[in-house]
Amino acid sequence: MSEPTRAEVCAAAIADAFADDGEIFASPMGMLPMLGVRLAKLTSNPDLVISDGESLFLAGVPPLFAKADVVEGWIPFRKVFDIVANGPRHVMMGATQVDRHGNQNISAIGDFDRPTRQLLGSRGAPGNTVNNRTSYWVPRHSPRVFVEAVDVVSGVGPRRAAAAGPAAARYNDIHRIVTDLAVLDVKGADDTVRLLSVHPGVSVDEVRAATGFELEVPAEVPETRSPTAEELVLVREVLDPRTLRDREVKP
Ligand code: F8G
């Protein structure tokens, strides 16, 4: 079997982010998050509840973008809001910008009154980050994404949540930031972004250079684990036989 690609390492790192969640609703946004969540459900966390991203809870674990084979529930957007408010959910969103305190922006670039780029709007990010465990997926780790301060706060990091009071802080839980270079969290000193591991073939200096703020780096930085042979078979032959993953993270 050939060596794992960077995309496959990312898929396993995303699966690990969901490994300890138990029976909660996993909401992956984007291709690699969807692949990682399905990999977790087939390996470390079979209790994860997954959907087709539109309106159906899935009983099986279909390949990416395949039609659902076995359906076990009805989860239109209005019901997603009930789960968001109730809590048993882990969402992995994208991030156009992430700052040193783990705030995320998917809304707009530039001055809020006159943005240079209008993106998606904040969508579910504010509600997610004060109610549910939230992780981020960044397919191109760069100083343009990892900025000192985000232009608009869509997803709220722990410090801002605490400043907004106990109702916002109580369930704020920014769990992992998985990128094409590394795995990070927001449990550094003073609630800042901290490096947890670097992917095989990536140096700590490369991650530092690709991060536009001072990153907390522990004395020893482990390598992100490589996927097991079983995981590689699941990714390559079951979940993503068309190698769509390589479109998001170049091999
Ligand atoms: C930049 C940067 C940068 C890009 N700095 N410039 C430039 C400077 C770039 C381009 C231009 C465009 C619960 C819930 C919900 C729901 C539920 C409730 C959610 C009902 C569902 C619906 C809802 C949120 C889910 C995500 C987002 C996933 C991505 C995107 C993107 C941008 C947002 C990151 N750093 N970057 N530019 N959604 N999507 O040079 O300039 O900007 O760039 O949870 O919704 O409402 O609630 O992608 O933009 O998680 O991550 O990819 O729009 O394609 O093309 O990159 O080229 O035009 O000059 P994009 P992109 P130019 S949860």
Side-chain angles (χ1 to χ4, degrees):
M1 192 180 293
S2 58
E3 287 298 301
T5 63
R6 183 66 58 77
E8 290 162 349
V9 169
C10 293
I14 292 169
D16 285 352
F18 288 82
D20 300 327
D21 284 338
E23 189 180 1
I24 67 172
F25 181 25
S27 295
M29 309 289 173
M31 190 140 54
L32 253 296
M34 206 190 299
L35 180 60
V37 158
R38 289 182 188 198
L39 185 60
K41 186 164 171 68
L42 288 173
T43 56
S44 54
N45 188 1
D47 291 336
L48 270 184
V49 179
I50 64 169
S51 80
D52 66 353
E54 287 181 22
S55 61
L56 304 172
F57 276 133
L58 306 180
V61 186
L64 293 181
F65 304 111
K67 199 166 161 43
D69 44 2
V70 196
V71 168
E72 67 177 3
W74 171 234
I75 183 72
F77 273 3
R78 66 173 182 277
K79 279 179 173 270
V80 175
F81 287 113
D82 292 343
I83 300 177
V84 171
N86 193 34
R89 178 169 179 262
H90 181 175
V91 54
M92 179 172 267
M93 284 184 282
T96 305
Q97 292 179 324
V98 176
D99 69 21
R100 189 164 165 261
H101 286 282
N103 301 298
Q104 166 248 31
N105 173 19
I106 50 170
S107 183
I109 299 292
D111 183 51
F112 189 69
D113 292 330
R114 206 175 173 80
T116 54
R117 294 290 178 279
Q118 179 63 55
L119 304 170
L120 293 178
S122 285
R123 318 299 293 183
N128 291 341
T129 49
V130 300
N131 287 297
N132 300 153
R133 172 169 276 194
T134 302
S135 295
Y136 299 117
W137 161 240
V138 176
R140 271 177 301 281
H141 191 139
S142 79
R144 196 166 93 137
V145 174
F146 287 91
V147 293
E148 190 61 45
V150 295
D151 295 343
V152 180
V153 178
S154 304
V156 183
R159 205 186 199 201
R160 280 186 85 95
R170 188 165 174 202
Y171 298 111
N172 179 260
D173 175 14
I174 309 302
H175 183 58
R176 291 283 182 276
I177 305 168
V178 180
T179 80
D180 60 334
L181 301 182
V183 180
L184 310 102
D185 70 6
V186 195
K187 296 203 169 51
D190 200 18
D191 294 330
T192 54
V193 173
R194 173 178 72 164
L195 184 59
L196 293 181
S197 67
V198 289
H199 299 341
V202 177
S203 70
V204 170
D205 284 346
E206 263 177 85
V207 177
R208 271 208 188 95
T211 305
F213 53 76
E214 197 170 332
L215 180 64
E216 181 165 319
V217 177
E220 294 291 323
V221 181
E223 192 171 89
T224 310
R225 75 173 180 91
S226 288
T228 63
E230 182 200 1
E231 287 176 314
L232 287 177
V233 170
L234 289 169
V235 167
R236 293 175 182 180
E237 293 176 21
V238 179
L239 294 172
D240 185 23
R242 292 192 287 151
T243 58
L244 298 172
R245 59 194 178 280
D246 289 350
R247 292 189 197 169
E248 213 163 65
V249 178
K250 295 283 170 250

